[in-house]
Every structure is written in C-alpha cells, then in structure tokens.
Amino acid sequence: MAIIRPFKGLRPAQALAEKVAARPYDVLSAAEAKAESAGNPYAFYHVSKSEIDLPEGTDVYSQAVYDKASENLQRFIKEGTLFQDNTPCYYIYRLIMNDRTQTGLVCVSAVSDYNSGIIKKHEFTRPDKEKDRINNIRTTKAQTGNVFLAYNDVPEINSLTDHWVQEHAPAYDFTAADGIRHTIWVVDNPGSVQEITSLFEKKVPHTYIADGHHRAASAALVQQELAANGQLAHDAPANYFLTTIFPASQLVILDYNRLVKDLNGLSKASLLSALEYDFTVENIGHLPQQPTMLHEFSMYLEGNWYRLVAMEGTYTTDPIGILDVTILSNNILDKLLGIKDQRTDKRIDFVGGIRGLQELVRRVDSGEMKVAFALYPVTIQQLFDIADSGNVMPPKSTWFEPKLRDGLVSHLL
C-alpha cells in the first residue's frame, strides 16, 4: 500500500505567494522565465531556472547554475521570502481552470515505493534530464519540483479533504496571469494528519506518476547515492520525495505533440507518398485542425496541414500498440524519419497541447523545424492500464493541465 508522510514544507510568506509561484521549470525556456520574472525579485525562477541570473549563453547544465540556485534559495530563506513550517503537515492544493476543479494532497512519498513499483511509471526517462535534476537536488539540498501522482478515487479521502477545505481558511489563494486559480490549505492538526496517512496505507494500493518521471527518478538516485555513502538515517527526508496526489476522476490529459527538424533525406513529395502505405492522407489546407478521434493525426508541412488516419493493420490492440503515440513512433518517426530513440535523438522536440497548434506552425514556419505532428490525447484509463501491465509509453505521451506551481511548497533534505 502507498506510504505517504507529512513534512515541514518550505513555503512563501502569505503576502508573497503569488509573486513566488512559478511555472514548472521544464515547461518554459530560460528566455521565457527571464521575461516572466522581470521586475520580480521573489519569482521562484531564480531557484528553478537560476540561469536567468547568469550571463547569457551560460550552459544550463553547468555547476554554476546549480550553485546559483542554491545561493538564491538560501537568500530567500534568510530574507523571509520563504519559511519552513515547525511541524510536519499535509497541504491541500486546489486548482481551477476553465471552471474545472481538481484537488490534490501535497505530501512526501516513499522512495521505497518508487523502487518497488507501488508508485507506477508509464515512461522511460532521458539520462540528460535525470542528471540535471540530480545535480539540482544534490546542490540545493532540496526537492523544489513536484511529482504529480494520480490514484483511483477513494471516497473517504475525498470527503476528508473536502471537509478540511470547507472548515478552514486557505494559506494562499490567487489567480495567476494565465487565469488558473491556485488555493492551498495547510493541514496541521495531528489527528487529521494521522487519518490521512492511515487512509492511504489502507485504501490506496498504488499511485501512478502522471507527470514528473525525471523528478521522481532523480530523487530515487540521490537517495541511493546518499544511502551508499552511509549518510541516511531511517527517517531521513531524502528517503521521501515531494509529490502531489490527485484522484483520477478529476484529471484530464491533453495532447502532446511532436516536431522534427528534417525529413531524413526525403522530399515533401516522397514523404507524402510513403505515408500512403500506412495512412489515408488528406490535404486539409492552411488552417490548423485538431485530431478528433483515436488513430487520427494532423501533420503540418511547408505551410499545409494534412489529415492522416492510420489504416487497420498498422497497429495492434494491446495497451501499448493501440496508442497513437506508438502508431506515430513506429510508422512515421522510426520507419520514415529515422528517429529510433525519442529520449536521446536531438532531431525531435515535444510541445504540450496547452500551447496550441499555432506553436507548431510558428516553429515550422520559422525554419527551426521541418514538420509537426498533432495527436489525439490518451486517456487516464489508458495510462493506468499501461502502468499496471508493466509497460511504458513512448516518451512525452501525456500532458496534464493545469500545472502545479513551483515554489509554493518545497521539501528540504
């Protein structure tokens, strides 16, 4: 059963919460983080994207970046921008986006659950991304990036969190510039804390990583490193990692789209001809069109959009084979464009559906990329089925919105 624990969260002074809150470090570039934090010395980007405080052109994976993150984090603590709770707490985190509400529990989850498979995965991780987070955690001695977990609904847990929300004032409540409302309550009553811990141990056999595979893997590797060096007591904070756990019924997955830098030596005409072996291909003009059903794709190439529908026989019906990301990977990215490993190939990039199809158009029209593919999103049940089967999806298969904000609750090691 799932092991979760309360912890002494590091969080902002109430008056500064909105200024501190930052989008997750891995959903925006350094340039975007620098623009968003302009004139705001409290922005958590100074920790999560600390290259914004270093000379332009600094290698984002250099030790100087991690040292700057640690320096800025300690400065925030010293100046009172951030403070640590005196007793272990849980935190209830509610997000509202487009009138849709999801409410999760901020806690720390056991690294041992990650290692044993109680926390289930659905993606492989990229070595370069793992190393980045390992260096960040090791240098800052903190987990500042949240791992987003999901679980099959438990009515008793939902009732408990709903009751706490109704009976207590929030610690933070603000609407960010993108229109998403963020509200956090601190659960500090010892009886309620124990009840939450017990409910998860009795009622939740598994949790599933929805978003944050690299953050989870890196936390586990840091814990392994510290344990090997004899630096960990049984109850050491590094035996746990920062998570926020949501009931599955409240979650929605958006599409996760692909961009490729070249056509692997093919011309436009030869690519379109080759696609017709596995797909029906229709030129749909200059206006973007989102795929409307499974096994349908939208492709943007040289100013035109094309509708691609996978033919029967190009995919299997097992939990992995039936996924659109698998169909695209096997029949286009690998077979035609020569991309064998999406985790390491530098010719491919990924764009979350929240950015819209215009982002695909922009990057292809700029010449940065040659072709883009928009996909129909997977479902939360497909994600659970794959994780339960012990399989993994191709990388970057799911995009969840709304995103948790970095800086509102961190876990010190």
Side-chain angles (χ1 to χ4, degrees), residues 337-391:
L337 299 180
I339 296 173
K340 304 296 183 183
D341 187 346
Q342 295 179 54
R343 295 183 302 146
T344 58
D345 199 310
K346 302 301 184 184
R347 296 168 53 226
I348 190 169
D349 200 6
F350 309 89
V351 175
I354 193 67
R355 290 182 176 256
L357 298 189
Q358 286 299 332
E359 177 67 7
L360 303 183
V361 172
R362 183 189 70 79
R363 294 184 65 180
V364 171
D365 286 353
S366 72
E368 176 196 359
M369 296 292 183
K370 184 65 176 179
V371 62
F373 299 94
L375 290 79
Y376 190 77
V378 302
T379 66
I380 192 72
Q381 190 57 54
Q382 284 180 312
L383 185 155
F384 282 8
D385 288 345
I386 288 164
D388 286 339
S389 72
N391 288 302

Side-chain angles (χ1 to χ4, degrees), residues 258 279 297 314 320-321 323-343 348 350 373 375 393-395 397:
R258 271 73 171 141
F279 301 84
F297 306 83
T314 60
I320 294 292
L323 292 174
D324 284 351
V325 287
T326 304
I327 296 170
L328 178 72
S329 178
N330 291 345
N331 297 290
I332 301 179
L333 299 179
D334 183 349
K335 181 178 178 180
L336 302 181
L337 299 180
I339 296 173
K340 304 296 183 183
D341 187 346
Q342 295 179 54
R343 295 183 302 146
I348 190 169
F350 309 89
F373 299 94
L375 290 79
M393 295 181 184
S397 297

Side-chain angles (χ1 to χ4, degrees), residues 37-53:
S37 59
N40 179 8
Y42 305 107
F44 203 74
Y45 294 124
H46 295 289
V47 175
S48 61
K49 301 284 286 186
S50 55
E51 60 267 28
I52 67 175
D53 294 328

Side-chain angles (χ1 to χ4, degrees), residues 281-348:
V281 181
E282 177 188 358
N283 187 330
I284 54 177
H286 301 298
L287 296 178
Q289 290 190 27
Q290 195 80 40
T292 58
M293 62 180 184
L294 286 170
H295 311 334
E296 176 184 320
F297 306 83
S298 294
M299 180 180 74
Y300 185 64
L301 175 64
E302 295 186 10
N304 275 353
W305 283 93
Y306 298 84
R307 181 173 178 261
L308 313 178
V309 180
M311 297 178 183
E312 290 187 13
T314 60
Y315 54 89
T316 59
T317 56
D318 62 273
I320 294 292
I322 202 168
L323 292 174
D324 284 351
V325 287
T326 304
I327 296 170
L328 178 72
S329 178
N330 291 345
N331 297 290
I332 301 179
L333 299 179
D334 183 349
K335 181 178 178 180
L336 302 181
L337 299 180
I339 296 173
K340 304 296 183 183
D341 187 346
Q342 295 179 54
R343 295 183 302 146
T344 58
D345 199 310
K346 302 301 184 184
R347 296 168 53 226
I348 190 169

Side-chain angles (χ1 to χ4, degrees), residues 6-11 83-89 91 108 409-412:
F7 66 106
K8 298 177 182 179
L10 180 73
R11 56 193 183 90
F83 72 96
Q84 187 175 25
D85 282 312
N86 292 322
T87 59
C89 305
Y91 306 85
V108 289
V409 188
S410 296
H411 179 221
L412 293 178

Side-chain angles (χ1 to χ4, degrees), residues 209-287:
I209 298 178
D211 194 13
H213 283 81
H214 291 97
R215 295 186 281 280
S218 301
L221 289 167
V222 169
Q223 188 268 356
Q224 183 182 48
E225 177 184 283
L226 293 173
N229 293 334
Q231 299 177 23
L232 281 188
H234 173 72
D235 58 349
N239 289 322
Y240 299 87
F241 62 103
L242 181 64
T243 58
T244 300
I245 311 180
F246 289 91
S249 65
Q250 298 181 13
L251 304 179
V252 173
I253 303 176
L254 302 185
D255 47 307
Y256 213 152
N257 303 317
R258 271 73 171 141
L259 290 149
V260 181
K261 289 185 177 181
D262 60 69
L263 300 185
N264 195 33
L266 298 173
S267 66
K268 173 184 175 181
S270 60
L271 175 63
L272 291 172
S273 178
L275 285 168
E276 290 178 348
Y277 285 97
D278 297 315
F279 301 84
T280 61
V281 181
E282 177 188 358
N283 187 330
I284 54 177
H286 301 298
L287 296 178

Side-chain angles (χ1 to χ4, degrees), residues 112-129:
S112 59
D113 279 0
Y114 177 85
N115 292 332
S116 67
I118 289 175
I119 297 173
K120 298 198 174 190
K121 317 163 189 68
H122 70 267
E123 285 185 6
F124 286 127
T125 52
R126 295 172 60 174
D128 58 333
K129 301 295 185 184

